[in-house]
Amino acid sequence: MATLCLALAPLAHAKEITSNGLGGGRWSDTTTWRGGAVPGAEDEAVIGARDTVVFDRNDVEGPTCKQLILDPNSNFAFQSGLGKRTLTVNGSIESFGSIKMHAAALTDDMEIRLAGATDPERLIKLGRGAALLMLGRPDLPEGRRNVRITVTGPPVSKGVPAQADLTAGDRTMLDLQNAQLDNVSVSGTGIDNTGAQPNERCNFIGNLFTGYAKLALSTCDTPVISRNEFQGQKAATIRPSGIVVSGCPLAEIRGNHLVGAYAIGINVMGSEASVSDNLIEGAIQGITWHTGAAMLKHNTLRGCKTGLALRTTTGSAEDTTIDGSDLPLHTASAKVQLTSVNIVNPPKTALLESISSSVALLNCNITPAQMKSVRDAALPRIVGAEDPAVETLAFLVVGLKGTFPRGAQVEVLTSAPAKPIAPGALDMNVRNSPARVRPDGFTPLPQTLTPLIVKSWGMDDDGKVVPAPEYTINVLEPAAEPGGKPRILKSVKVKPDETWFRPEPNDPKPTLEIQLP
């Protein structure tokens, strides 16, 4: 019996300690708390409605409290200007109020440590009306962050650190800028960032995610995920993704760098999003997009087993570099255009695997032998029967050498179309013809709105290659009189080939040179 009493003795001292209800005060001040006692390591600290408690301690040696709870309309803020401030919680944090960590001073160093021994204890839960603001300085040397949430609980097993969850539900606010999250998985659901109402924020800008840290957003409106560093551990796969957005209209995922053993670097599902200027290294899959309108631009995928995977989606990917992937491109039930996709260190197998899809390749260094196109009856087909399985197109920049008249044009025509083209009808194999010749003798570069574009080879659903057509290129002199017919200065016949790929699309080097008399 004496042994049982001794075992229960520590629990007898644990109690709920609530702020004073008079506006709050500093955490370490006894007058801030009802009963005049500051919460201890085994106590449950509660910040009451309309109270603001300013945290002014550095509890790196032991727990600040067992659990922290914020009532609605309460505030908990780290005090700036006091150097290192550390809140260590042996259990969970549950908030219906505001948690603010604004490290404005150069000497500020603010940290929340989650030290619980079990998974349910290592949790920060933001309920309806809650807010988490982590605002660190952006100008610290060597990429250091002075606002952090870390996990100091005991390791799960040898080599596997403890991990924590930060969850935010409907009508909450998340604004994390220049902060660090170490082994913390962040998930937000139903958060609005449109600004239609006060205090609408869902921003992740300039943060550092380390260890098993990752970010998942679901049904959040216009979230911004920009300029974050994800430094995932490499010993085991981090699942499901470094960044995942699901059902998030107008999500912006821009300028992020992810390196580590992520199952998927960036995963977009059922969202109309913009994914641009991201660098992903070492993931199993670099970027995947499942349903929704895909908009990808200026992304680099390096050392990923699968580079870019587009499934049951429509849209485009532009200016993408895929380096060292086992399968650079994969599409399934998709209708997409890939523009200036540059595949570096290609595998010996297929560069593009297309299943029940229609893919347009504009200025991509892929040959028919590097394509695999099949139809799978088990997959939904979102493309029409008339849509080609694969259609390749090439930018055509013509450079004239010699003397040419002012106002000269370059006309491109299909030499032997499958069906006769009626007078005045468009040649469907050619875009933006005729093109005006610039004073330097070149037709417009791809960066303009009117570059010459021609169809090259294609592929049908059965994997049969359709060879590139032959084109007639005419250099035209303006008509002598208004309404007259231009005179052909020179005419050549060409077929697009692999040399027409432009690694730097706007390099002024011409695709084809024509010497004039």
Side-chain angles (χ1 to χ4, degrees), residues 42 56 67 134 140 146 246 255 257 268 285 353 367 382 399 505:
E42 295 298 326
D56 58 352
Q67 188 175 14
M134 300 179 67
L140 298 177
N146 62 350
S246 176
H257 181 194
V268 181
Q285 297 185 62
E353 179 183 69
T367 66
I382 67 172

Side-chain angles (χ1 to χ4, degrees), residues 21 38 42 50 108 201 249 253 257 268 319 371 486 497 515:
V38 176
E42 295 298 326
R50 293 175 294 281
D108 281 341
R201 298 188 201 176
I253 306 172
H257 181 194
V268 181
D319 305 313
M371 262 292 313
D497 58 34
Q515 178 68 55

Side-chain angles (χ1 to χ4, degrees), residues 58-80:
N58 185 31
D59 292 329
V60 295
E61 300 298 331
T64 308
C65 58
K66 178 64 177 177
Q67 188 175 14
L68 176 62
I69 298 174
L70 277 72
D71 286 343
N73 300 314
S74 64
N75 299 282
F76 175 76
F78 279 66
Q79 184 168 353
S80 179

Side-chain angles (χ1 to χ4, degrees), residues 19 43 109 113 187 189 208 227 270 287 377 407 428 433 454 492 503:
S19 62
D43 295 327
D109 191 344
R113 292 185 176 182
S187 61
T189 303
L208 175 62
R227 296 185 287 104
I287 297 176
M428 300 308 294
S433 173
V454 298
V492 297

Side-chain angles (χ1 to χ4, degrees), residues 163 185 212 214 233 236-242 261-264 284-285:
Q163 300 164 49
S185 176
Y212 285 86
K214 50 188 181 289
Q233 63 78 42
T237 303
I238 303 171
R239 300 182 185 278
S241 309
Y262 298 100
I264 303 173
I284 296 175
Q285 297 185 62

Side-chain angles (χ1 to χ4, degrees), residues 150-459:
T150 60
V151 180
T152 59
V156 175
S157 60
K158 185 177 180 180
V160 180
Q163 300 164 49
D165 291 314
L166 192 166
T167 65
D170 185 39
R171 298 295 180 91
T172 58
M173 179 169 64
L174 284 174
D175 195 354
L176 280 62
Q177 300 188 36
N178 307 306
Q180 179 178 356
L181 294 103
D182 184 51
N183 290 312
V184 178
S185 176
V186 181
S187 61
T189 303
I191 306 174
D192 200 328
N193 196 41
T194 60
Q197 300 292 331
N199 299 322
E200 290 185 344
R201 298 188 201 176
C202 188
N203 299 311
F204 300 86
I205 301 173
N207 302 298
L208 175 62
F209 293 77
T210 53
Y212 285 86
K214 50 188 181 289
L215 173 62
L217 299 178
S218 176
T219 62
C220 296
D221 200 338
T222 63
V224 175
I225 305 170
S226 176
R227 296 185 287 104
N228 301 287
E229 293 278 339
F230 287 75
Q231 298 176 2
Q233 63 78 42
K234 299 180 181 180
T237 303
I238 303 171
R239 300 182 185 278
S241 309
I243 299 172
V244 57
V245 295
S246 176
C248 296
L250 302 178
E252 182 180 353
I253 306 172
R254 170 174 46 86
N256 303 285
H257 181 194
L258 296 90
V259 56
Y262 298 100
I264 303 173
I266 296 176
N267 187 9
V268 181
M269 298 184 292
S271 302
E272 293 185 3
S274 171
V275 178
S276 62
D277 299 295
N278 300 286
L279 169 60
I280 302 173
E281 301 180 271
I284 296 175
Q285 297 185 62
I287 297 176
T288 68
W289 202 305
H290 196 296
T291 70
M295 292 177 285
L296 300 112
K297 195 167 186 177
H298 290 129
N299 297 291
T300 299
L301 312 174
R302 186 174 295 145
C304 302
K305 291 186 180 300
T306 299
L308 175 62
L310 304 172
R311 304 184 179 104
T312 323
T313 188
T314 60
S316 64
E318 301 179 26
D319 305 313
T320 301
T321 298
I322 303 176
D323 185 354
S325 288
D326 294 344
L327 178 59
L329 295 162
H330 169 79
T331 66
S333 297
K335 184 176 182 179
V336 292
Q337 176 169 306
L338 308 179
T339 301
S340 296
V341 174
N342 188 12
I343 298 174
V344 183
N345 297 314
K348 295 180 180 180
T349 54
L351 304 190
L352 169 58
E353 179 183 69
S354 179
I355 304 174
S356 298
S357 298
S358 179
V359 181
L361 301 172
L362 173 56
N363 192 47
C364 298
N365 59 337
I366 300 175
T367 66
Q370 297 167 324
M371 262 292 313
K372 181 181 179 182
S373 177
V374 297
R375 179 183 293 185
D376 187 342
L379 291 179
R381 184 173 172 84
I382 67 172
V383 297
E386 72 284 356
D387 292 314
V390 180
E391 179 181 77
T392 68
L393 305 103
F395 290 122
L396 173 58
V397 178
V398 178
L400 301 184
K401 299 185 71 175
T403 303
F404 56 90
R406 184 175 181 180
Q409 293 182 312
V410 170
E411 176 186 56
V412 183
L413 304 170
T414 303
S415 299
K419 296 180 181 180
I421 300 174
L426 293 176
D427 185 339
M428 300 308 294
N429 290 335
V430 181
R431 300 178 189 175
N432 302 320
S433 173
R436 190 177 181 88
V437 179
R438 303 182 311 184
D440 60 2
F442 289 82
T443 57
L445 294 175
Q447 66 187 3
T448 68
L449 297 177
T450 57
L452 285 169
I453 298 174
V454 298
K455 287 184 183 179
S456 186
W457 61 272
M459 187 174 287

